[in-house]
Amino acid sequence: MTNQVSPVEEQEKLLEEALNIVKVQAFQMKRCLDKSKLMDALKHASTMLGELRTSLLSPKSYYELYMAITDELRHLELYLLEEFQKGRKVADLYELVQYAGNIVPRLYLLITVGLVYIKTNTNLRRDLLKDLVEMCRGVQHPLRGLFLRNYLLQCTRNVLPDTHEAPNENEGTVRDAVDFVLMNFAEMNKLWVRMQHQGHSRDKERRERERSELRILVGTNLVRLSQLESVTVEDYRRMVLPGILEQVVSCRDAIAQEYLMECIIQVFPDEFHLANLQPFLKSCAELQPGVNIKNIIIALIERLASYSQRNEGNMNLSVVLEDGQEQEVQLFEVFSDQVAAITQSRVDMPQEDMLSLQLALLKLAQRCHPDKLNYVDRVLAHTDKICTDIHQSSGQSTLEHHTPVFKELMKIIKLPCDHYKNILVLIKLSNYAPLIRHLSYQGRVMIAVHLINDVLETNTAISTPQDVEAVLGLLDVLVKDQPDQPPSESDVEDFVEEQGLLARLIHHFKSDSADQQYLITSTARKILQGGGARRIQHTFPPLVFHAYRLAFVYKDLKDQDEMWEKKCQKIFQFCHQTITMLVKAELAELPLRLYLQGALAISEIGFANHETIAYEFLSQAFSLYEDEISDSKAQLAAITLIIATFEQINCFGAENAEPMRTQCALAASKLLKKPDQSRAVALCSHLFWKGTRDGRPVWALNDASRALDCLKKAARVAQQCMDGGVQAQLLAELLGRYALLRERGNQSLTPSLIDAIIQKIREELANLDQSEEVEQITKHFHNTLQHLKNRIESPDPESLGYEGLTLS
Amino acid sequence: MSFFGFGQTADIEIVFDDADKRKVAEVKTDDGKKEKLLLYYDGETVSGKVNVTLRKPGSKLEHQGIKVELIGQIELFYDRGNHHEFISLVKELARPGDLLQHTSYPFEFANVEKPYEVYTGSNVRLRYFLRATIVRRLTDITKEVDIAVHTLCSYPDVLNSIKMEVGIEDCLHIEFEYNKSKYHLKDVIVGKIYFLLVRIKIKHMEISIIKRETTGSGPNTFTENETVAKYEIMDGAPVRGESIPIRVFLAGYDLTPTMRDINNKFSVRYYLNLVLMDTEDRRYFKQQEVILWRKSDKSRLPLHPHHPQTVSYQGHQSLRKQSVSSDDNSARATPSNPDPENVMQRSVSPSMPEKQNGPLQMEREKPEAFIDKLAGAHINENDTNDTSDEIEEPKPVEKLPVVDKPLIAEKPQIAEKPTLNRPEPAGSPNQ
């Protein structure tokens, strides 16, 4: 068992033995050459070449052996070349080497000598090339034949005729070179394909691996053809391409076909491909079923597309036709037709491959014909059809997540998005939205998120109602409930995030024209209101804010637009409706805030009848507070907001203000927790006293004593708190408010009152144990005191000072 | 007048005219060595001088006459004693008398017909020599000098090629073509092998040149086969539709012209043997006689390169049609009788079952032992070629070339065509 040699070791041993013989024979050969004993040298060369007759080596080892031997053959070649150039020709050498009994060494020698003949006498070139490539037919063993012909190709690489007009007929023209390489190519390909069918079927995998190791040998022929500089587009069409394609198609071997087609694409220039799309693509349709045609076509498309991009769209697509006329290649048309033909003829083609092809077409359309949106749309329409077929065969109405078709479709949908970076272009594609509908729910969400992010990134404005409608159509999955939506509220966070994005998108629904903006907003609401409570709470606020902003715009436009007041009324009516919908959706805090915001806007704009409307908004907010908000914290926050809003609004007369501030004070005093009560009541003082800051006139409804009452009540409530710390905190806050209101000109808050509070706080603080909280309160208190001290030392002439207050 | 009968003696020397200008040829001698001899052609005059040198100048040499002979003879090695002289020409140089001094006798055999080429084989030798004799009472003084003779031929440049489809039913069908049926000794065999059907795994293919020397006649016939050259022409296994080029340079091999029934004593024939070897070392082969001839050196073509002589197929269909040939050329090559009649007999019943008997046991060194042969393609009934095509068949029957020797009995050496089943056409006139 232990003696058994692994195949790898065995190969190494065989190779080493062969290489040793090569070394010895090469040494002898060179020695004979040094002594000018050509015949003996040839004999050694022949023995050395005999090693290449082996059948035991793997392609890899054989390659190494081949390299070693051809390296040594170069010495012989150089020697002969030197001798020939000196004029010392060896008569009949070409014949002499043909006496070698074994064909493999004989042909290697024949090629070597033939090359020397060609190099020293170009008159022989054409005939010798023809002869060499013909004689190589004698080696039918795939591996040995491939390497022999590779040697032929290597040797002749610099001597192939590459002109159209030869000075002498016998030197040959590029035509002969093409024939030569094509013949060699055909033979090599046959040998290569034959490997597939020799040997046991259980070795299939190994054989295919070996074949792929050898494919470069076959491909080199194509490289050589592409290196012939005098081959014109015309020559390529008439001689080169048909020859290659015929061989490729007729070999009926999937591995070869796939590799060679890609080779063709890679090695020949773009211009050649452009001029010969039809024949190439037609051949694609004739390839074996096992060939991954998709890759081939995609490679070609990518190549041409990037060619077009390199030339920044200035691609010369015109080609001279056979009749001498120039014609522009309809790149897309050609591909589109051929791809359709291929998909039709290959019934067994995987569906995802069909989609991949469409994807490639799409790229082509976008990159080569940037001006023709209808091409893109055509591809999308075709894709749509394919998807419909897929549904029919699978019986499902959408593509499942993470299936290959799904991924391909995803790419197709994302491509135009990423390419145009403009959702306004996408909505012009009539087949884009239907395509999205083929995706599963998750897929649609992903696309929607992708689209929105794109808009946000590029800061695109969507400025007509039609566009808004179309855009929201694309985002249908986010706008309303879907039949295939997962039943459970699977992931609330994700949902909120998506809706948040949608809300951000809504901010981009904007137009420079105010009337237009109104239409946009109302269109958007019409669509969005179908989204249900879960969605509108995210999507309506931006709409409402749009509307408020619009009202301000009208205010600015009031000199130009006589109707501005009407329009503002309409806008606020719209807002009212919108907010009411939110209320109906059993939301409270959000509409409350929106109402308040609205009230603020109204009071600021001050159009006709604005007081009533503002009152309506504010009262709506208040009734929401009363009816819907039960959580104490929320209550405090809400009442604070209401009070603050009222404080900001200056449009109310006594008739409207009185009930409002009374209600607020009442509500404040009814809060459940004492600290909340205290704070809210303290805030109420602002309802009765507004300062004159920012150039506001003195408020007619100021009532100094009621303000003082509020503060007093707040202090009283504060003192009812059990916790000394809380008491101190509340009082400290209260002190600030006293100071504030006094500075705003309320004279009923006398320094002595302030002093009393200060003393009270000092008392409380003294009773408290040290803690972090207490420290904060103390700090707060001291900051306030510091403020007072500053004011005493340098009084603000425009506000009341603190005469008589002494701070110890 | 001498009292001592053997007192005087002499040396004879034969000096040829133009000896310095005349070409020489290498000829194998009895013992296998090679020797350079002056070269003469048929019809050429052989002339020169016989110089007699006396050993003892001054005394006279008495003789009964001096003569010089030109002899062409065939020696069969198993019959050493009997030499068959096909030429014996005598020139009297001197009448009986006395020789007193060195004497030189010019001689001339004018326009001598030399019908055969010198040859040294394994069982037979054909030589020409000059013998000068001083006839004396007791012992003659003689001197023999060999000369070389080459027979030249010329054939029209356009010669029939050999084309044939052969095979083993359902196993291997090939079609081969040699560009000529007659090659001169410095010629190049150019040809092609086209594979019509390959169901065996072929390892390689070679062409060998076999020399068959036949001596004697009747029960005393000896045949000696010698493989003069072995030449691999294909490596690996071809598939259907493949065509393999053949190009064999003959100049490098030790060959003689084909000789047929030389003076009814011997023949030397050459065969091209196409051998295919499969991966299990079974050999499949087809022998094909070719005529070798010697071409006059003067018109030798400049040599390199030789390739233009490629055989061109006009299209395979035409070829396939014409070769309805079939015969199981399983000539067991009995030493005495490679009888064409036999072969033809077999071709009447094409699918002989015995064609498959084991090629394994054959030894390559002894071709005559081959039993299984590459059988000729069979006439398959399903292979219904319209018989009209037969008209196009190149007649394999050898036409007598213009300059060929009338003595050589021509047999139709390519006897494969089924059409030959008819009574022998006029192709073999001088049996």
Side-chain angles (χ1 to χ4, degrees):
Chain A
M1 287 297 275
T2 48
N3 288 342
Q4 218 152 28
V5 199
S6 78
V8 179
E9 285 168 10
E10 168 107 28
Q11 281 293 311
E12 279 172 6
K13 209 175 123 222
L14 285 168
L15 178 62
E16 200 189 306
E17 281 168 10
L19 286 175
N20 276 335
I21 297 176
V22 169
K23 215 189 271 172
V24 171
Q25 293 296 331
F27 175 74
Q28 300 282 3
M29 176 185 83
K30 282 182 258 181
R31 237 172 54 151
C32 292
L33 289 178
D34 287 345
K35 293 183 191 160
S36 292
K37 287 188 191 162
L38 181 58
M39 287 306 124
D40 292 328
L42 285 177
K43 207 171 284 167
H44 288 299
S46 174
T47 318
M48 172 176 80
L49 284 164
E51 289 303 308
L52 283 175
R53 299 177 65 216
T54 178
S55 299
L56 301 170
L57 293 178
S58 70
K60 242 184 204 150
S61 311
Y62 194 85
Y63 172 74
E64 276 187 49
L65 182 62
Y66 165 85
M67 289 310 284
I69 289 181
T70 51
D71 244 19
E72 301 294 352
L73 274 185
R74 208 148 298 133
H75 290 285
L76 179 63
E77 184 198 322
L78 287 178
Y79 171 85
L80 290 174
L81 212 53
E82 221 169 86
E83 292 290 293
F84 272 56
Q85 272 157 358
K86 279 187 213 152
R88 261 186 267 155
K89 295 206 177 182
V90 183
D92 305 341
L93 193 56
Y94 196 74
E95 176 182 332
L96 274 173
V97 293
Q98 295 191 56
Y99 283 110
N102 286 314
I103 187 159
V104 171
R106 173 164 77 236
L107 290 177
Y108 273 96
L109 285 176
L110 191 66
I111 292 168
T112 313
V113 172
L115 177 65
V116 174
Y117 271 60
I118 291 173
K119 280 187 174 166
T120 48
N121 182 359
T122 47
N123 272 333
L124 298 170
R125 181 158 70 186
R126 192 189 54 181
D127 291 338
L128 277 181
L129 286 176
K130 219 176 258 174
D131 189 52
L132 289 174
V133 77
E134 180 69 27
M135 290 314 283
C136 284
R137 282 178 191 277
V139 180
Q140 292 288 325
H141 184 274
L143 189 61
R144 295 193 282 271
L146 279 173
F147 276 97
L148 174 72
R149 285 186 177 273
N150 183 60
Y151 181 65
L152 174 63
L153 203 59
Q154 290 300 321
C155 280
T156 52
R157 68 185 179 281
N158 292 324
V159 299
L160 293 179
D162 199 1
T163 54
H164 271 276
E165 297 288 327
N168 171 344
E169 192 192 357
N170 291 329
E171 290 186 19
T173 61
V174 70
R175 207 193 166 85
D176 296 300
V178 168
D179 287 346
F180 170 80
V181 182
L182 274 181
M183 159 103 93
N184 198 50
F185 163 69
E187 292 300 319
M188 280 178 92
N189 190 42
K190 277 197 264 175
L191 292 174
W192 186 47
V193 169
R194 205 179 291 165
M195 289 185 81
Q196 189 72 19
H197 309 289
Q198 290 180 349
H200 209 281
S201 56
R202 67 161 174 251
D203 296 332
K204 185 162 177 257
E205 207 171 293
R206 192 192 46 139
R207 260 200 314 275
E208 288 184 355
R209 197 185 60 236
E210 289 180 352
R211 279 192 66 195
S212 87
E213 287 168 1
L214 292 170
R215 63 186 191 177
I216 185 88
L217 299 182
V218 186
T220 311
N221 285 290
L222 301 185
V223 174
R224 196 69 71 237
L225 281 173
S226 73
Q227 286 165 342
L228 293 172
E229 281 172 2
S230 51
V231 169
T232 60
V233 177
E234 183 63 17
D235 296 331
Y236 180 73
R237 173 173 49 233
R238 281 192 305 119
M239 323 189 290
V240 181
L241 187 63
I244 301 173
L245 288 180
E246 198 217 326
Q247 175 55 225
V248 172
V249 170
S250 68
C251 77
R252 303 161 65 84
D253 175 85
I255 297 178
Q257 291 182 334
E258 200 168 324
Y259 170 69
L260 293 173
M261 289 306 253
E262 284 186 34
C263 250
I264 296 176
I265 296 170
Q266 296 314 326
V267 301
F268 291 105
D270 303 298
E271 293 85 349
F272 287 15
H273 292 311
L274 269 182
N276 292 285
L277 286 177
Q278 293 281 11
F280 184 85
L281 293 172
K282 214 168 271 168
S283 300
C284 283
E286 294 169 23
L287 299 181
Q288 293 298 102
V291 175
N292 192 344
I293 276 203
K294 171 196 82 172
N295 289 355
I296 298 169
I297 294 187
I298 291 176
L300 182 60
I301 290 180
E302 298 254 316
R303 167 121 206 211
L304 292 178
S306 56
Y307 171 60
S308 128
Q309 258 189 347
R310 257 202 317 282
N311 295 312
E312 292 176 8
N314 300 327
M315 178 162 48
N316 182 11
L317 287 175
S318 43
V319 179
V320 184
L321 292 182
E322 273 154 273
D323 51 9
Q325 283 186 329
E326 276 204 10
Q327 197 195 4
E328 188 170 317
V329 178
Q330 295 301 317
L331 203 51
F332 177 80
E333 300 281 353
V334 172
F335 270 108
S336 172
D337 292 351
Q338 293 293 346
V339 166
I342 287 167
T343 22
Q344 225 154 47
S345 68
R346 309 199 134 216
V347 272
D348 54 340
M349 193 173 196
Q351 288 156 331
E352 60 265 29
D353 285 6
M354 293 189 194
L355 289 180
S356 309
L357 281 175
Q358 297 300 328
L359 178 65
L361 269 182
L362 195 59
K363 275 185 200 160
L364 180 77
Q366 286 177 349
R367 289 155 90 177
C368 294
H369 303 281
D371 50 333
K372 299 208 170 151
L373 210 56
N374 63 323
Y375 282 166
V376 174
D377 211 25
R378 227 164 76 189
V379 179
L380 297 178
H382 202 85
T383 312
D384 188 45
K385 219 183 295 160
I386 294 174
C387 291
T388 315
D389 290 347
I390 295 175
H391 298 329
Q392 247 165 23
S393 61
S394 71
Q396 284 175 322
S397 61
T398 55
L399 301 181
E400 275 312 298
H401 205 47
H402 292 315
T403 53
V405 271
F406 174 87
K407 284 181 190 157
E408 288 305 319
L409 184 57
M410 205 67 175
K411 282 188 210 154
I412 292 181
I413 294 173
K414 274 186 183 170
L415 186 67
C417 167
D418 295 343
H419 180 77
Y420 298 115
K421 289 274 175 207
N422 187 349
I423 201 161
L424 298 176
V425 177
L426 297 186
I427 54 177
K428 282 193 205 130
L429 299 168
S430 59
N431 288 293
Y432 194 72
L435 215 50
I436 295 179
R437 270 173 237 137
H438 290 293
L439 293 170
S440 67
Y441 173 77
Q442 272 170 302
R444 297 202 300 275
V445 170
M446 280 161 72
I447 287 295
V449 168
H450 191 80
L451 289 172
I452 295 175
N453 276 324
D454 223 53
V455 174
L456 298 181
E457 257 170 51
T458 54
N459 208 4
T460 314
I462 295 144
S463 52
T464 69
Q466 292 79 25
D467 287 354
V468 167
E469 210 172 327
V471 167
L472 290 176
L474 292 184
L475 306 174
D476 193 59
V477 66
L478 298 184
V479 171
K480 43 177 187 267
D481 281 341
Q482 303 292 310
D484 57 343
Q485 202 168 326
S488 63
E489 304 281 302
S490 51
D491 198 332
V492 179
E493 256 175 56
D494 282 353
F495 179 80
V496 170
E497 200 171 300
E498 289 151 24
Q499 293 299 320
L501 275 172
L502 183 57
R504 288 175 67 190
L505 173 74
I506 292 167
H507 285 296
H508 288 78
F509 293 174
K510 58 192 175 196
S511 164
D512 293 335
S513 147
D515 296 352
Q516 189 80 345
Q517 178 72 49
Y518 178 75
L519 289 175
I520 291 175
T521 317
S522 61
T523 310
R525 191 188 70 186
K526 214 185 301 161
I527 298 167
L528 291 169
Q529 69 193 18
R534 290 169 62 224
R535 291 191 179 82
I536 56 173
Q537 59 173 313
H538 298 285
T539 52
F540 275 15
L543 284 179
V544 172
F545 279 99
H546 259 311
Y548 292 161
R549 206 177 306 132
L550 182 61
F552 282 105
V553 172
Y554 276 116
K555 185 189 174 197
D556 293 341
L557 287 175
K558 62 178 156 194
D559 300 337
Q560 298 154 36
D561 194 341
E562 288 171 9
M563 305 283 288
W564 76 275
E565 291 190 306
K566 272 259 171 60
K567 285 179 180 168
C568 282
Q569 276 182 33
K570 208 170 167 197
I571 288 169
F572 286 107
Q573 223 164 357
F574 170 84
C575 294
H576 193 269
Q577 286 166 4
T578 311
I579 300 171
T580 313
M581 284 188 216
L582 285 170
V583 175
K584 279 187 191 140
E586 303 197 333
L587 293 164
E589 295 181 43
L590 179 67
L592 181 140
R593 283 162 173 76
L594 290 174
Y595 276 132
L596 293 177
Q597 191 69 39
L600 273 177
I602 296 161
S603 92
E604 206 155 314
I605 293 165
F607 52 95
N609 204 18
H610 70 282
E611 187 183 342
T612 328
I613 298 178
Y615 186 79
E616 167 68 15
F617 270 60
L618 204 57
S619 59
Q620 284 292 343
F622 196 81
S623 65
L624 271 176
Y625 167 78
E626 284 187 319
D627 301 343
E628 305 291 343
I629 298 178
S630 51
D631 178 68
S632 61
K633 260 192 200 143
Q635 278 180 340
L636 176 63
I639 196 73
T640 310
L641 279 173
I642 293 171
I643 293 166
T645 309
F646 185 85
E647 202 269 349
Q648 293 286 312
I649 293 175
N650 297 314
C651 64
F652 292 135
E655 184 195 350
N656 284 325
E658 204 48 43
M660 190 51 70
R661 52 191 189 182
T662 324
Q663 283 303 313
C664 283
L666 198 62
S669 63
K670 277 187 187 162
L671 283 174
L672 181 66
K673 291 191 210 156
K674 289 293 173 189
D676 292 351
Q677 241 181 54
S678 163
R679 284 186 178 116
V681 171
L683 277 172
C684 284
S685 60
H686 291 286
L687 296 173
F688 300 100
W689 190 270
K690 294 187 192 179
T692 54
R693 69 214 136 83
D694 306 334
R696 276 202 306 204
V698 176
W699 194 33
L701 300 176
N702 270 348
D703 188 337
S705 62
R706 283 176 76 180
L708 177 61
D709 287 348
C710 288
L711 290 178
K712 277 186 177 159
K713 186 173 180 194
R716 207 163 49 241
V717 175
Q719 280 168 320
Q720 288 166 4
C721 289
M722 297 293 289
D723 187 326
V726 175
Q727 231 182 76
Q729 190 178 12
L730 289 170
L731 288 172
E733 286 169 15
L734 208 53
L735 174 63
R737 211 160 296 285
Y738 267 99
L740 179 64
L741 283 178
R742 181 171 175 79
E743 282 173 31
R744 285 188 180 171
N746 190 335
Q747 289 183 330
S748 41
L749 311 179
T750 58
S752 59
L753 281 173
I754 293 172
D755 190 48
I757 299 254
I758 293 171
Q759 296 314 322
K760 184 77 191 155
I761 294 170
R762 288 213 166 114
E763 248 170 66
E764 288 298 328
L765 281 177
N767 293 339
L768 289 175
D769 298 332
Q770 277 301 312
S771 75
E772 208 174 306
E773 212 173 88
V774 172
E775 221 163 277
Q776 257 182 16
I777 298 165
T778 316
K779 181 94 194 184
H780 181 194
F781 175 58
H782 284 296
N783 283 345
T784 315
L785 287 182
Q786 188 60 44
H787 172 79
L788 294 177
K789 202 178 278 177
N790 290 346
R791 276 301 159 93
I792 292 166
E793 283 165 10
S794 53
D796 183 347
E798 284 178 25
S799 62
L800 285 175
Y802 298 91
E803 297 82 14
L805 181 66
T806 45
L807 301 168
S808 49
Chain B
M1 181 72 72
S2 164
F3 292 109
F4 318 99
F6 34 79
Q8 175 63 298
T9 182
D11 290 326
I12 305 176
E13 182 195 19
I14 301 176
V15 179
F16 293 91
D17 292 344
D18 314 328
D20 47 343
K21 289 176 202 152
R22 187 164 284 282
K23 271 200 282 191
V24 292
E26 281 198 338
V27 174
K28 254 201 285 183
T29 58
D30 255 351
D31 47 8
K33 281 184 196 150
K34 288 199 170 171
E35 153 173 69
K36 285 190 174 158
L37 301 179
L38 289 177
L39 177 61
Y40 286 86
Y41 296 102
D42 184 25
E44 265 190 318
T45 298
V46 181
S47 61
K49 286 194 197 100
V50 173
N51 296 330
V52 180
T53 316
L54 299 179
R55 294 240 174 111
K56 297 172 191 158
S59 66
K60 68 179 178 184
L61 174 69
E62 193 181 330
H63 64 87
Q64 301 301 112
I66 300 174
K67 62 178 178 182
V68 62
E69 294 162 283
L70 173 58
I71 294 167
Q73 74 178 21
I74 296 168
E75 302 165 13
L76 294 166
F77 298 160
Y78 58 86
D79 186 13
R80 287 268 172 193
N82 269 326
H83 293 168
H84 306 273
E85 294 185 356
F86 54 90
I87 291 180
S88 180
L89 301 171
V90 189
K91 292 277 178 205
E92 293 290 341
L93 297 177
R95 298 182 164 270
D98 295 339
L99 264 184
L100 293 169
Q101 58 194 3
H102 305 324
T103 316
S104 183
Y105 302 98
F107 67 89
E108 182 186 63
F109 296 100
N111 306 327
V112 190
E113 192 180 318
K114 297 180 272 304
Y116 311 123
E117 176 151 338
V118 287
Y119 173 76
T120 308
S122 39
N123 286 323
V124 65
R125 177 181 181 201
L126 186 152
R127 59 187 280 244
Y128 292 85
F129 59 93
L130 282 160
R131 181 162 62 205
T133 312
I134 302 171
V135 187
R136 296 205 302 173
R137 268 203 201 117
L138 294 171
T139 47
D140 294 347
I141 303 170
T142 61
K143 168 76 177 177
E144 289 183 8
V145 177
D146 276 66
I147 58 169
V149 169
H150 281 173
T151 52
L152 297 179
C153 282
S154 73
Y155 285 93
D157 277 348
V158 183
L159 288 169
N160 286 337
S161 59
I162 300 176
K163 279 186 192 172
M164 202 179 302
E165 184 181 320
V166 292
I168 297 168
E169 198 171 9
D170 293 334
C171 220
L172 178 72
H173 282 212
I174 63 172
E175 190 172 271
F176 66 81
E177 173 171 354
Y178 302 129
N179 60 337
K180 304 175 188 173
S181 52
K182 303 183 178 65
Y183 292 96
H184 62 80
L185 295 178
K186 310 271 191 235
D187 214 343
V188 189
I189 301 172
V190 175
K192 240 179 196 182
I193 290 156
Y194 185 74
F195 286 84
L196 300 165
L197 175 79
V198 190
R199 293 233 177 99
I200 52 171
K201 289 179 185 165
I202 297 170
K203 200 160 69 177
H204 64 91
M205 174 163 71
E206 65 189 33
I207 280 196
S208 49
I209 303 172
I210 294 171
K211 180 169 98 173
R212 179 173 300 157
E213 178 188 298
T214 317
T215 49
S217 58
N220 293 324
T221 307
F222 295 90
T223 302
E224 197 71 49
N225 283 314
E226 182 192 346
T227 303
V228 183
K230 232 170 25 177
Y231 196 74
E232 188 182 29
I233 55 171
M234 187 186 73
D235 169 38
V239 294
R240 202 182 124 131
E242 214 63 73
S243 79
I244 306 298
I246 304 172
R247 183 158 73 214
V248 186
F249 291 92
L250 295 177
Y253 302 114
D254 190 14
L255 298 170
T256 67
T258 296
M259 304 182 200
R260 289 209 190 91
D261 278 342
I262 299 299
N263 216 27
N264 279 323
K265 288 288 178 280
F266 76 101
S267 297
V268 178
R269 290 157 175 268
Y270 287 92
Y271 297 84
L272 292 182
N273 193 19
L274 184 68
V275 186
L276 290 104
M277 176 104 75
D278 72 8
T279 47
E280 287 161 59
D281 286 345
R282 281 190 288 251
R283 296 161 60 92
Y284 306 82
F285 62 91
K286 175 68 187 168
Q287 281 190 13
Q288 190 62 52
E289 180 169 7
V290 287
I291 309 291
L292 298 185
W293 54 281
R294 189 180 293 282
K295 188 176 177 178
S296 168
D297 279 351
K298 282 164 202 159
S299 58
R300 249 201 101 182
L301 294 166
L303 244 172
H304 41 111
H306 287 275
H307 44 82
Q309 308 148 315
T310 21
V311 176
S312 62
Y313 279 97
Q314 282 90 1
H316 302 300
Q317 283 93 336
S318 65
L319 274 175
R320 236 165 281 150
K321 272 188 234 152
Q322 56 170 244
S323 24
V324 213
S325 65
S326 91
D327 87 313
D328 183 341
N329 187 12
S330 69
R332 280 136 305 183
T334 40
S336 58
N337 190 15
D339 193 344
E341 240 83 71
N342 248 343
V343 180
M344 292 183 6
Q345 221 61 338
R346 286 173 162 266
S347 68
V348 180
S349 49
S351 36
M352 293 289 277
E354 77 247 48
K355 65 186 180 303
Q356 67 269 49
N357 50 9
L360 274 171
Q361 60 265 58
M362 279 149 218
E363 287 179 20
R364 51 195 299 192
E365 287 77 22
K366 293 187 173 286
E368 63 265 45
F370 292 162
I371 298 168
D372 193 316
K373 296 231 134 184
L374 196 94
H378 314 285
I379 316 169
N380 293 329
E381 264 68 48
N382 49 13
D383 197 359
T384 46
N385 305 337
D386 17 359
T387 39
S388 59
D389 284 334
E390 289 182 4
I391 301 164
E392 294 172 20
E393 284 182 28
K395 282 287 175 238
V397 183
E398 193 130 305
K399 287 179 204 135
L400 267 183
V402 202
V403 236
D404 215 348
K405 298 299 152 185
L407 300 180
I408 299 170
E410 281 283 18
K411 287 180 190 172
Q413 82 278 37
I414 309 170
E416 275 72 17
K417 304 295 157 178
T419 45
L420 291 185
N421 287 334
R422 297 173 211 141
E424 199 69 350
S428 55
N430 309 328
Q431 184 88 19

Coordinates of all heavy atoms in Angstrom, one line a residue, chain B residues 46 81 93 115 169 173 201 212 229 281 296 303 311 334 405:
Chain B
V46 N 30.7 -0.4 -74.9 CA 31.8 -0.6 -73.9 C 33.1 -0.8 -74.6 O 33.2 -1.7 -75.4 CB 31.5 -1.8 -73.0 CG1 32.5 -2.0 -72.0 CG2 30.1 -1.7 -72.5
G81 N 26.8 -23.3 -58.5 CA 27.5 -23.8 -59.6 C 27.0 -23.3 -61.0 O 27.8 -23.1 -61.9
L93 N 41.2 -10.8 -79.7 CA 42.1 -9.7 -79.7 C 43.4 -10.1 -80.4 O 44.1 -9.2 -81.0 CB 42.5 -9.2 -78.2 CG 41.3 -8.7 -77.4 CD1 41.7 -8.4 -76.0 CD2 40.7 -7.5 -78.1
P115 N 20.1 -5.5 -71.1 CA 18.7 -5.4 -70.7 C 18.4 -5.3 -69.3 O 17.3 -4.8 -68.9 CB 18.1 -6.7 -71.3 CG 19.3 -7.7 -71.3 CD 20.5 -6.8 -71.5
E169 N -15.7 -4.3 -42.8 CA -17.1 -4.0 -42.7 C -17.4 -3.4 -41.3 O -17.1 -4.0 -40.3 CB -18.0 -5.1 -43.0 CG -19.4 -4.7 -43.4 CD -20.2 -5.9 -43.9 OE1 -19.7 -7.0 -43.8 OE2 -21.3 -5.7 -44.4
H173 N -13.4 2.1 -42.7 CA -13.4 2.3 -44.2 C -12.5 3.4 -44.5 O -12.6 4.5 -43.9 CB -14.8 2.7 -44.7 CG -15.7 1.5 -44.8 ND1 -16.6 1.4 -45.7 CD2 -15.7 0.3 -44.0 CE1 -17.3 0.2 -45.6 NE2 -16.7 -0.4 -44.5
K201 N -10.1 2.1 -32.4 CA -9.2 3.2 -31.9 C -7.8 3.0 -32.5 O -7.0 2.1 -32.1 CB -9.1 3.0 -30.4 CG -10.4 3.4 -29.7 CD -10.3 3.2 -28.2 CE -11.7 3.5 -27.6 NZ -11.7 3.0 -26.2
R212 N 10.1 -7.3 -52.3 CA 9.9 -8.8 -52.4 C 10.7 -9.4 -53.6 O 10.5 -9.0 -54.7 CB 8.4 -9.1 -52.6 CG 8.1 -10.6 -52.7 CD 6.6 -10.8 -52.7 NE 6.0 -10.4 -51.5 CZ 4.7 -10.1 -51.4 NH1 3.9 -10.2 -52.4 NH2 4.2 -9.6 -50.3
A229 N 11.8 0.4 -45.7 CA 11.5 1.6 -45.0 C 10.3 1.6 -44.2 O 9.3 0.9 -44.6 CB 11.5 2.8 -46.0
D281 N -2.8 -3.0 -30.4 CA -1.7 -3.5 -31.2 C -2.1 -4.4 -32.3 O -1.3 -5.2 -32.8 CB -0.6 -4.1 -30.3 CG 0.1 -3.0 -29.6 OD1 0.0 -1.8 -30.0 OD2 0.9 -3.3 -28.6
S296 N 16.5 9.0 -65.7 CA 17.8 9.6 -66.1 C 18.1 10.8 -65.3 O 17.2 11.6 -65.0 CB 17.7 10.0 -67.6 OG 18.8 10.8 -67.9
L303 N 15.4 20.5 -56.2 CA 14.7 19.8 -55.1 C 13.7 20.6 -54.2 O 12.5 20.4 -54.4 CB 15.6 19.1 -54.2 CG 15.5 17.6 -54.2 CD1 16.6 17.0 -53.4 CD2 14.1 17.2 -53.6
V311 N -1.8 15.8 -53.5 CA -2.9 15.3 -54.2 C -4.1 16.1 -54.0 O -4.4 16.5 -52.8 CB -3.1 13.8 -53.7 CG1 -4.4 13.2 -54.4 CG2 -1.9 13.0 -54.0
T334 N 1.3 -16.9 -49.8 CA 2.1 -18.1 -49.8 C 3.3 -17.8 -50.6 O 3.3 -17.0 -51.6 CB 1.3 -19.2 -50.5 OG1 0.7 -18.7 -51.6 CG2 0.3 -19.9 -49.6
K405 N 10.2 -2.4 -70.9 CA 10.8 -3.6 -71.6 C 9.7 -4.6 -72.0 O 8.8 -4.9 -71.2 CB 11.7 -4.3 -70.7 CG 12.9 -3.4 -70.3 CD 13.7 -3.0 -71.5 CE 14.3 -1.7 -71.2 NZ 15.0 -1.1 -72.3

